[in-house]
Amino acid sequence: TEGSRSNFFIIKDNVFYTPPSHQILEGITRQVVIKLLARLGYELKVMPISLPFLTSADGLFLTGTSPGVLPIRQVNDQVYDVTLKPLQDLQGLFHHVEETYVSLNG
C-alpha cells in the first residue's frame, strides 16, 4: 500500500481511504493531501487496504514529491476512473497550493 517514494489512496463512493501511518512510511505529500481533503470537505478513512476492497474502488491514486497526485488508470485487468470529481477537486487544489508555494518561495 505504498511505493518506494509514494503513498496510496483509494476513492470509493466519494470517500477517500489510505492505510494507517503505522503500516507505511508517511510521506510529506500524503500529509498535505490529507489536509487538502479536509479543506475540500471530503471524508477520509484510515484503514488497512485489502485486495477485495481495492478491486471494488472507484478510483486510485499515488501521492509523492515528483508525481504530486497521480491517478492510476489500471491495475491488471481492473480499469479505474481517472476523471472522478473528488479526484479532480483534489488535483486542482493540490496544483494551486503547489503553484502558490513555488511563487512565494521561488
Side-chain angles (χ1 to χ4, degrees):
T1 54
E2 67 175 333
S4 62
R5 291 183 170 87
S6 59
N7 292 111
F8 181 72
F9 286 79
I10 288 177
I11 305 168
K12 182 174 176 62
D13 300 325
N14 294 328
V15 176
F16 288 76
Y17 297 83
T18 192
S21 297
H22 71 273
Q23 292 184 341
I24 59 171
L25 180 60
E26 232 182 331
I28 292 171
T29 305
R30 178 182 183 267
Q31 294 171 9
V32 169
V33 163
I34 288 171
K35 290 178 184 175
L36 296 179
L37 290 173
R39 185 182 293 178
L40 288 165
Y42 284 108
E43 182 179 1
L44 173 70
K45 293 187 179 182
V46 177
M47 59 182 252
I49 305 298
S50 66
L51 185 56
F53 188 65
L54 174 82
T55 58
S56 73
D58 301 320
L60 312 174
F61 64 96
L62 296 174
T63 61
T65 302
S66 295
V69 175
L70 180 66
I72 298 171
R73 179 175 297 283
Q74 186 170 346
V75 175
N76 296 328
D77 294 331
Q78 180 78 32
V79 177
Y80 297 95
D81 187 353
V82 297
T83 64
L84 293 171
K85 183 180 180 332
L87 181 55
Q88 290 183 340
D89 290 347
L90 175 61
Q91 285 180 294
L93 183 55
F94 184 86
H95 180 71
H96 172 74
V97 168
E98 194 174 42
E99 289 293 316
T100 302
Y101 178 82
V102 169
S103 67
L104 292 175
N105 296 292

